[in-house]
Amino acid sequence: MPEALTDQAKAAAPAPAQLVGLDRETLAATLAPHGLKGYRIGQLWQQIYRLGANEFPAMTTIAKAARADLADHFAIGRLAIESEQISKDGTRKWLYKLADGSLVETVYIPETDRGTLCISSQVGCTLNCRFCHTGTQRLVRNLTAEEILGQVLTAKDALDDWPAPRPDRKITNIVLMGMGEPLYNFENVKQAMLIALDGEGLGFSRRRITLSTAGVVPMIERAGAEIGVNLAISLHATNNEIRDRIVPINRKYPLEELLAACRAYPTLNNARRITFEYVMLRDVNDLDEHAHALAAMLSDIPAKINLIPFNPWPGSAFERSTAARIHNFAGILMDAGYPTPVRTPRGEDILAACGQLKSTTEKARRTRPGLDAA
Ligand code: SAH
């Protein structure tokens, strides 16, 4: 049967190589055997990252025969959207299915003065912060640079947000605050962010990308030197005793070391502060004495404090601090001179708020016990 043969032939053909996520040099080396060299590489870069082209036939600046050849061999990374949810507050959450079947989530948060895309750096997370849903997902792997950028490109398609750098762009900011610990996937995150920063492509500025870490101290210095984007620290406690309990990576890199790494982060000044994220957990870390300790602790760091009301998820063991408590806590910090916005939970009805992301890879996994050893 010819149809079956065609399917077989398809199965046997090698998967097209991905061009997204390659730096310019590698892109040039990859395409040289296909006759694309010199300024043609820059043209292709612009087509992909500035104009948002996701297939070759429409690239009229490239000779027709070359386009056909490229289409036979290469793909321009987009992720498969498994599902999309839109919250009543306009927040959108995409569940992307990766080539190996893993699932990751990306969230778009529109606000009046900006639109923030919250992207993931890993499938799952190894940190096990006690209040975070993602940490309960067991399957973990690093995302490739292509998959990290793929979240941005696919979201831009869905939001009709091309060409890239224009004043009314919908995605104005990127935050690495989705699933995973970005500094445990340093090389791929770096590669993807350098491409996102490239002025001939996506053209994000360093001030509009924020990398959030729970405190992988040895990598903070490298992040500053080699990526140079804004830094956010998931702090959540003012002493090692509490932090050891709720953010277990603190047992490896205690507060003193974390704060020293923050002080050494490059080009800090009052216009460019480190954001300290602080999840408000009722009766755990939300007392007045904690607020005073926090103010004292950050006194020698240009800091902004972002209070995040705890977002519950099925089975979570914490409660959100009361609104009055959060208000008091913020008041103490503002009196001490810190900008202290309280983060409004967004997209709660679709479990898109901070700490609520958890793809269902694990469920698929239970039906495939062979993977348990992984
Ligand atoms: N691993 C990185 C990136 C994740 S950022 C990091 O820890 O910084 C996600 C942010 O949401 C972190 O500040 C995290 O501590 C916070 N968070 C996690 N679970 C939460 C929850 N249930 N409610 C509110 N914030 C939460």
Side-chain angles (χ1 to χ4, degrees):
M1 281 160 54
E3 266 165 25
L5 277 180
T6 312
D7 281 353
Q8 267 178 11
K10 265 189 203 154
Q18 277 294 346
L19 295 184
V20 166
L22 305 181
D23 58 34
R24 282 162 185 269
E25 253 176 35
T26 315
L27 187 67
T30 306
L31 296 179
H34 297 267
L36 248 63
K37 297 194 176 84
Y39 76 96
R40 296 270 175 209
I41 299 296
Q43 259 182 358
L44 184 68
W45 184 275
Q46 292 194 7
Q47 294 266 2
I48 296 176
Y49 294 112
R50 177 180 284 259
L51 302 177
N54 58 16
E55 51 177 26
F56 297 97
M59 296 187 183
T60 47
T61 52
I62 298 172
K64 217 167 185 181
R67 277 183 252 162
D69 174 53
L70 290 172
D72 281 346
H73 293 91
F74 301 106
I76 305 174
R78 290 299 189 272
L79 305 180
I81 298 179
E82 177 80 1
S83 68
E84 179 188 34
Q85 286 172 280
I86 304 184
S87 159
K88 54 184 193 292
D89 70 13
T91 300
R92 292 161 81 130
K93 180 168 90 169
W94 295 280
L95 182 66
Y96 293 128
K97 187 169 199 170
L98 309 178
D100 69 350
S102 303
L103 299 164
V104 287
E105 289 171 301
T106 301
V107 178
Y108 175 68
I109 306 143
E111 291 174 270
T112 43
D113 62 336
R114 71 182 73 180
T116 304
L117 192 72
C118 177
I119 62 173
S120 296
S121 56
Q122 298 182 307
V123 175
C125 189
T126 56
L127 294 173
N128 291 316
C129 300
R130 293 292 171 252
F131 46 81
C132 181
H133 200 194
T134 306
T136 64
Q137 186 179 321
R138 288 162 64 210
L139 189 71
V140 180
R141 76 162 169 87
N142 282 337
L143 295 181
T144 62
E146 170 216 329
E147 290 164 339
I148 296 169
L149 282 167
Q151 297 172 65
V152 180
L153 303 181
T154 311
K156 283 182 83 73
D157 288 356
L159 294 168
D160 195 11
D161 196 28
W162 297 105
R166 57 193 165 83
D168 60 340
R169 51 160 65 176
K170 296 193 178 112
I171 300 176
T172 59
N173 293 50
I174 294 177
V175 296
L176 283 148
M177 295 188 185
M179 303 166 73
E181 169 49 51
L183 294 187
Y184 276 160
N185 185 16
F186 185 83
E187 294 302 336
N188 294 340
V189 164
K190 172 181 166 185
Q191 172 112 342
M193 289 307 104
L194 293 183
I195 292 174
L197 291 165
D198 188 292
E200 285 180 34
L202 289 165
F204 285 90
S205 91
R206 288 194 153 72
R207 291 175 300 110
R208 290 190 173 272
I209 298 182
T210 301
L211 185 153
S212 179
T213 178
V216 185
V217 167
M219 303 310 287
I220 290 177
E221 186 184 350
R222 280 193 65 194
E226 298 175 33
I227 313 176
V229 295
N230 294 335
L231 182 65
I233 302 285
S234 293
L235 191 66
H236 309 319
T238 55
N239 61 51
N240 285 322
E241 193 251 311
I242 300 179
R243 198 163 191 269
D244 278 353
R245 209 153 29 92
I246 61 178
V247 184
I249 194 181
N250 194 67
R251 296 176 204 155
K252 197 164 179 192
Y253 305 114
L255 275 174
E256 301 73 32
E257 292 177 24
L258 177 57
L259 295 171
C262 290
R263 280 183 212 107
Y265 200 74
T267 62
L268 282 183
N269 53 49
N270 284 339
R272 193 164 189 270
R273 301 163 185 257
I274 293 182
T275 300
F276 290 89
E277 297 157 277
Y278 196 96
V279 60
M280 297 298 291
L281 303 170
R282 183 172 187 166
D283 297 333
V284 174
N285 64 355
D286 66 349
L287 307 180
D288 283 0
E289 67 189 65
H290 298 134
H292 289 294
L294 185 54
M297 198 170 100
L298 301 179
S299 61
D300 57 354
I301 301 174
K304 168 181 155 181
I305 299 161
N306 214 322
L307 298 183
I308 317 175
F310 169 66
N311 295 308
W313 36 273
S316 57
F318 296 94
E319 282 176 64
R320 178 182 292 181
S321 307
T322 63
R325 193 86 291 282
I326 296 174
H327 182 78
N328 261 353
F329 200 94
I332 293 171
L333 294 166
M334 285 190 281
D335 285 348
Y338 297 96
T340 311
V342 177
R343 199 181 285 173
T344 319
R346 297 292 303 262
E348 277 186 296
D349 52 334
I350 57 168
L351 283 185
C354 302
Q356 293 185 314
L357 300 187
K358 178 181 177 173
S359 62
T360 45
T361 305
E362 198 176 300
K363 283 187 199 145
R365 184 173 177 276
R366 282 206 198 98
T367 63
R368 297 164 61 200
L371 287 176
D372 269 326

